[in-house]
Amino acid sequence: MKYIEQIKSLLLAFLVLLSIVFTLLIWTYKPEYETVKETQIEEVLVGKPKELQEVIKPYRLLYRQNEQFYGTVSSTPLQNLYSHLRSWQVYEMGLINSELSDSKMNEMLSMDNRITMFFNEEIPLRVFSNLMSFNDNEIPDTTFTRLIVDWSNVESSNQLQLLFLNTEKRSLYRAYASVPDKDYFMEKIIEPANNYSPYVEVERDPLRSLYVPKDPIQSTRLRYLAEDIEPDLFKKILFTDLKIVQRNIESPQSERFTDGTSLMTVDSQNRVINYVYPTAESTAPIPAARLFIDSFNFINDHGGFTMDYRLSSMNIERHITEYQLFIEGLPVYSDVMTRLGTTWGENRIFRYRRPYYSMGTIFQRVQRELESGEQIVESLRTENNKLFREADEIVVGYELTLEESEQDTDLVLVLEPKWFAVTNNTWKRLSPMEIGGDEFGLE
């Protein structure tokens, strides 16, 4: 029994030592972790994202100087103007009139030393303010359809007068802009207007006037090979979990994709995609500026402005925003879809409808000469005076038709220049007299 205490002491010392060893092992232990690879979210783009000014574009620039009108639909003068506009310092924005008459609006456009930008839709000023520098802290929550730039005092004071005119609401806001380089403004923005097409004012007393080219129109019939955007790309963009998406072929020209909560249909005959997410439908009010920005960001995030699409209409109550296709500065009208359309829902897209074709290789150009604006207006005044008085615009545009290639493997997009009357965002072909020309380009 005399060794029991010694054994206890040795055992206790062993346990203490063992505890110290385990503690040290725990402190110094470094497990070999497997490298965890970050999950990369695939960014799916169907085209190149665009800048805001590429989508908020007027369809016409109208100059008034020396008591003459000159106009253009070319993209180059517009790009030059937009580029210079970014350097302006805008200040003293304020409401001038909220009950303008049609005759007063006509008078405003007819004053010398003015450029008028014509927009298809009411443009939210809080969106357009991103294209220039405003010194005012608060931008009015208003919209406009015409932006009139008055350069009467630019050479003496480096100052422009900006008139934001809403022809629908009959309102007028005025601001001033300081121009950093008046010589550049006169040389690059104003002087080239002398080479633009002469325009005439078509009076419709007491209604708003129309403005049309004075001379016959030199244009071109175009034929493109279509390039399809793979519909499967839109499936990846619009559905969050591709594993549960089911495909249903309804006919040789139609198929459906659904994940149980949303639906995408593909019309391969007309090259149209229609997507809807029913549970997102909402009637809650959305301000015009936010509605446009949500729509623009949704489309632009996947590069959806695959051609020259410009804001053309907004239905604020129904949350609808549409963008019209333009080719070589002219709007494209057709029974085939030539617009992008979104309907915004509760914090997300509710409906998205669009074509999935794009213009590929151009392989034929045929010169065309159309009647002058004066001629087409006089014919319309005589033959359909009701349409003449109701029309919002009379413009040259392209009529798009589809045809199969000779090999029956490719789709051909045919663009024929025509005169159109536009009323309440709908178009009517006016079938002007056309004079054929010589073909040029590749066959």
Side-chain angles (χ1 to χ4, degrees):
M1 298 297 293
K2 64 178 181 179
Y3 298 110
I4 290 177
E5 293 300 323
Q6 294 178 340
I7 293 173
K8 288 182 179 180
S9 298
L10 290 173
L11 183 60
L12 180 60
F14 174 76
L15 291 175
V16 170
L17 181 62
L18 186 63
S19 175
I20 292 172
V21 170
F22 280 141
T23 300
L24 290 173
L25 287 175
I26 292 173
W27 285 353
T28 59
Y29 176 65
K30 294 182 179 180
E32 294 183 1
Y33 294 108
E34 292 185 6
T35 301
V36 178
K37 296 181 179 179
E38 292 185 3
T39 302
Q40 298 293 326
I41 299 176
E42 182 183 5
E43 182 182 36
V44 181
L45 295 175
V46 297
K48 182 180 178 181
K50 292 194 173 183
E51 298 294 328
L52 189 63
Q53 65 267 22
E54 296 180 85
V55 176
I56 302 180
K57 294 168 68 174
Y59 61 89
R60 177 194 298 138
L61 297 181
L62 185 70
Y63 289 71
R64 177 70 172 182
Q65 55 185 342
N66 301 322
E67 299 185 351
Q68 298 290 328
F69 284 109
Y70 300 90
T72 181
V73 297
S74 174
S75 295
T76 301
L78 174 60
Q79 290 170 357
N80 290 339
L81 179 56
Y82 265 20
S83 177
H84 195 259
L85 181 144
R86 284 189 170 277
S87 66
W88 300 352
Q89 294 294 321
V90 182
Y91 56 93
E92 294 185 13
M93 170 71 73
L95 177 64
I96 301 301
N97 198 323
S98 59
E99 297 179 344
L100 284 172
S101 65
D102 286 338
S103 60
K104 183 61 178 177
M105 295 186 214
N106 295 336
E107 179 185 330
M108 292 172 59
L109 271 64
S110 297
M111 296 181 68
D112 258 2
N113 301 326
R114 289 188 169 184
I115 310 170
T116 301
M117 304 182 202
F118 287 71
F119 294 90
N120 278 313
E121 180 52 273
E122 297 181 42
I123 306 298
L125 184 58
R126 290 181 176 177
V127 172
F128 196 81
S129 64
N130 291 286
L131 306 186
M132 56 177 68
S133 297
F134 276 76
N135 291 341
D136 297 345
N137 293 327
E138 185 66 24
I139 307 299
D141 185 14
T142 188
T143 58
F144 64 95
T145 58
R146 307 283 186 266
L147 174 51
I148 303 171
V149 180
D150 187 324
W151 76 84
S152 299
N153 298 321
V154 70
E155 293 190 279
S156 61
S157 65
N158 289 354
Q159 185 187 76
L160 299 172
Q161 181 180 208
L162 306 180
L163 301 173
F164 296 87
L165 170 64
N166 190 315
T167 54
E168 301 302 315
K169 295 184 171 63
R170 301 184 176 277
S171 65
L172 176 66
Y173 279 76
R174 181 181 64 195
Y176 297 94
S178 57
V179 178
D181 190 343
K182 65 181 180 182
D183 294 332
Y184 178 93
F185 176 79
M186 294 302 297
E187 179 183 351
K188 299 297 184 181
I189 307 301
I190 303 304
E191 292 177 7
N194 294 317
N195 299 318
Y196 299 157
S197 301
Y199 270 61
V200 294
E201 179 182 7
V202 180
E203 297 181 358
R204 301 183 298 176
D205 189 53
L207 306 175
R208 291 200 309 273
S209 296
L210 301 172
Y211 302 88
V212 296
K214 180 180 180 180
D215 300 324
I217 305 297
Q218 305 302 319
S219 191
T220 310
R221 180 180 186 264
L222 306 172
R223 297 180 78 211
Y224 287 85
L225 285 178
E227 288 186 356
D228 284 350
I229 304 168
E230 184 58 47
D232 195 59
L233 292 175
F234 290 103
K235 183 180 72 173
K236 294 178 180 178
I237 291 166
L238 297 170
F239 292 98
T240 55
D241 188 353
L242 295 177
K243 295 178 182 178
I244 62 173
V245 175
Q246 296 182 345
R247 179 189 182 198
N248 180 31
I249 300 176
E250 297 186 314
S251 72
Q253 291 82 34
S254 178
E255 56 184 336
R256 296 158 59 99
F257 297 87
T258 182
D259 61 359
T261 58
S262 57
L263 172 70
M264 184 181 86
T265 60
V266 178
D267 177 354
S268 58
Q269 181 175 1
N270 294 304
R271 303 313 203 260
V272 172
I273 283 175
N274 190 12
Y275 170 83
V276 63
Y277 189 90
T279 57
E281 186 174 14
S282 172
T283 58
I286 301 178
R290 179 187 155 198
L291 177 63
F292 169 76
I293 289 297
D294 285 344
S295 172
F296 172 79
N297 286 339
F298 166 76
I299 298 175
N300 208 39
D301 283 347
H302 60 263
F305 295 107
T306 49
M307 293 183 281
D308 183 6
Y309 287 103
R310 307 182 190 182
L311 177 64
S312 60
S313 69
M314 294 177 67
N315 186 319
I316 307 300
E317 291 183 357
R318 298 176 61 191
H319 304 174
I320 298 173
T321 309
E322 292 187 324
Y323 307 84
Q324 177 71 51
L325 173 63
F326 280 70
I327 298 293
E328 297 190 357
L330 299 179
V332 180
Y333 302 111
S334 179
D335 294 332
V336 179
M337 193 170 190
T338 59
R339 292 189 176 197
L340 308 181
T342 64
T343 305
W344 203 251
E346 187 174 356
N347 299 319
R348 60 155 294 155
I349 192 70
F350 163 58
R351 187 184 298 277
Y352 183 33
R353 191 164 186 261
R354 61 163 299 139
Y356 65 86
Y357 63 82
S358 64
M359 302 294 171
T361 303
I362 182 169
F363 67 93
Q364 187 185 63
R365 289 177 176 267
V366 181
Q367 292 178 326
R368 289 285 194 259
E369 182 175 286
L370 306 183
E371 291 172 297
S372 71
E374 284 187 304
Q375 289 174 298
I376 202 72
V377 162
E378 288 308 311
S379 297
L380 185 61
R381 192 197 305 263
T382 302
E383 298 173 10
N384 192 341
N385 189 259
K386 183 175 183 292
L387 179 58
F388 168 74
R389 297 186 68 79
E390 290 179 351
D392 299 320
E393 269 293 2
I394 296 177
V395 297
V396 174
Y398 279 119
E399 183 177 32
L400 172 65
T401 55
L402 307 182
E403 64 181 39
E404 298 292 337
S405 66
E406 294 179 358
Q407 292 79 21
D408 291 332
T409 56
D410 297 312
L411 186 69
V412 176
L413 306 175
V414 182
L415 295 162
E416 188 73 57
K418 303 275 188 180
W419 278 103
F420 295 89
V422 182
T423 308
N424 294 327
N425 211 30
T426 61
W427 58 272
K428 178 178 176 59
R429 184 177 60 247
L430 298 180
S431 302
M433 178 179 64
E434 299 170 2
I435 302 173
D438 297 328
E439 294 186 7
F440 57 95
L442 298 176
E443 284 289 353

